[in-house]
Amino acid sequence: MKTGRRGLVFFVFVVLLFGPVACGSTQSEGARSSAGAKGEHKHLDDYKRKHFNLFSEKDDIKLGEYVMKLQIKEFKKEGVGVDLPKHQELKARVEKIVHRLAAVSDKPDFPYEVHIFDRPDVVNAFAMPGGKIGVFTGLFDREKGLVDINNDDQIAAVIGHEMAHATVRHITRRLTTYQGINLIGLAGVIGFGQGLGPNAEYIFNQVFSLGVNLYLPSYSRKHEKEADQIGFYYLAKAGYNPQAAIDIWKKAAAKGGPNSKRTDFFASHPASGERAKALEAWLPEALQIQSSAGAAY
């Protein structure tokens, strides 16, 4: 099978066209409903509510596996190191953090997997649908980075946020929206090598932000805000220090700006001081949750 951008787009739309027939359903993210008519949240766990999603969790997993394999292949083709021996200790630590966060997440049974990409120029991390996680070494750069490589709380703060996008299935929720407004048309029936219509290109560019061969999931401001809340909840529930997330967002707000690269954390996660302030309002509750979880760790 020929891989590349065209192949990925085709895969997305095959799932789009046939997934609903086999597995269309209403996804339940928990028993609680959101508080308030305007969607305001009184507690950290009030994000749990129902979301309509035409795709199954298996679809998320298949899509994430496909895109991650494509990402690794593209990097290796360019000579970029993936899971190098020098990063073995870091990878093991991140895997341990992921395991701990996953255990308290909404999708503990996702097939989580961690890869370390030797890209010191990219200050970022991501989670593909289904839980495939990528961490770029630039995240730990002493000058440009955001995270102290020796601080598990800070690493968990970033991973928890990215994991939240996967556990509440933001990518397939967006794809469901685009299908609902009929932007797909017949693009999915076009075979490999024949090209795809403008609608397919449009949809693909809405769910994955492409730049210098990076396939990064792209999210709306609403989904970013939701991931902030959920990641903060996971962080505290897993017994990590929630203050670390606030510190990360304050640092991101200070570093980010109009000169941010399309592929760095500051561009893909617009960081005004409001994001840190929102978490600060939840800090007392998060500290209570952390304290209750502390005995388990």
Side-chain angles (χ1 to χ4, degrees), residues 158-171:
V158 172
I159 297 298
H161 173 91
E162 301 300 343
M163 184 183 290
H165 284 302
T167 60
V168 295
R169 308 178 60 208
H170 281 154
I171 289 295

Side-chain angles (χ1 to χ4, degrees), residues 47 101 104-106 160 163-164 167 230-239:
Y47 69 88
L101 290 168
V104 301
S105 77
D106 296 277
M163 184 183 290
T167 60
I230 298 167
F232 201 50
Y233 179 54
Y234 291 171
L235 186 69
K237 198 174 180 184

Side-chain angles (χ1 to χ4, degrees), residues 1-3 6-8 10-11 66 190-195:
M1 180 181 292
K2 182 179 178 181
T3 59
R6 180 175 296 166
L8 175 57
F10 180 72
F11 173 85
Y66 185 90
I190 301 175
F192 289 104
Q194 297 181 27

Side-chain angles (χ1 to χ4, degrees), residues 21 61 88 96 104 120 142 178 180 196 198 232 247 255 257 274:
V21 175
I61 292 168
Q88 184 176 358
K96 185 177 180 180
V104 301
R142 291 186 178 181
Y178 291 125
L196 290 169
F232 201 50
D247 294 341
K255 286 178 173 287
E274 294 303 312

Side-chain angles (χ1 to χ4, degrees), residues 265-279:
F265 191 87
F266 321 113
S268 59
H269 302 76
S272 68
E274 294 303 312
R275 298 182 80 155
K277 288 180 181 178
L279 296 183

Side-chain angles (χ1 to χ4, degrees), residues 96-142:
K96 185 177 180 180
I97 290 168
V98 167
H99 178 77
R100 185 163 151 182
L101 290 168
V104 301
S105 77
D106 296 277
K107 303 296 177 189
D109 296 325
F110 268 173
Y112 295 99
E113 182 178 291
V114 175
H115 296 286
I116 307 295
F117 299 114
D118 193 20
R119 285 291 301 267
D121 60 317
V122 180
V123 181
N124 218 329
F126 64 90
M128 289 296 184
K132 304 302 182 187
I133 294 169
V135 178
F136 299 99
T137 54
L139 191 66
F140 309 105
D141 186 87
R142 291 186 178 181

